[in-house]
Amino acid sequence: MSNATLELTKENFDQTVTDNEFVLIDFWASWCGPCKQFAPVYEKAAEANPDLVFAKVDTEAQPELAAAFNIQSIPTLMIVRDQVAVFAQPGALPEAALTDVIGQARNLDMDEVRRQVAEEQAKQQEQGEGQGPDQGQSQGQ
């Protein structure tokens, strides 16, 4: 791991995500072939974007973090902006695709993202609350 990337652990994860506006996280393991292929691409992107925090989570050493984010396959790339996960995708991205994803994440309107997240949370709360006898019958009537 180069100086361009930070090793995340359960001890420093929350603070890293809280203290930094834009964090890219590579969930990986030493035995994972695609992870090894993706590592130099990720390092190059880290060097090309020194204003962003590039971090790595070794899923073998940090199984709690992998479980907390429901990581099913590795490598998985996650992007967190303003403490909101705006991108998560398994698979080793080629350099051009990684550059594109970073550009898209940079251009997000975070006020709009937060509004959408709030709407989704409100919908989930409505669906989860009081499934009484008259719930669900008022729609469309």
Side-chain angles (χ1 to χ4, degrees), residues 27 31 59 66-67 69-76 90:
F27 290 87
W31 51 262
T59 57
F69 290 98
N70 201 25
I71 302 300
Q72 299 292 319
S73 64
I74 51 174
T76 289

Side-chain angles (χ1 to χ4, degrees), residues 63-110:
E64 301 91 345
L65 284 178
F69 290 98
N70 201 25
I71 302 300
Q72 299 292 319
S73 64
I74 51 174
T76 289
L77 177 67
M78 181 178 289
I79 299 177
V80 179
R81 274 201 58 197
D82 298 340
Q83 301 175 40
V84 176
V86 296
F87 179 86
Q89 178 179 309
L93 295 174
E95 185 175 344
L98 179 56
T99 300
D100 183 52
V101 165
I102 292 169
Q104 289 182 47
R106 281 185 185 276
N107 292 328
L108 284 174
D109 176 345
M110 289 309 293

Side-chain angles (χ1 to χ4, degrees), residues 120-133:
E120 190 59 36
Q121 289 173 340
K123 279 185 199 171
Q124 288 176 357
Q125 283 180 340
E126 283 178 22
Q127 291 171 356
E129 288 177 3
Q131 292 292 323

Side-chain angles (χ1 to χ4, degrees), residues 111-140:
D111 289 333
E112 177 64 16
V113 169
R114 281 188 286 276
R115 187 187 66 71
Q116 290 174 358
V117 167
E119 279 181 13
E120 190 59 36
Q121 289 173 340
K123 279 185 199 171
Q124 288 176 357
Q125 283 180 340
E126 283 178 22
Q127 291 171 356
E129 288 177 3
Q131 292 292 323
D134 61 346
Q135 287 295 109
Q137 294 183 10
S138 62
Q139 292 179 332

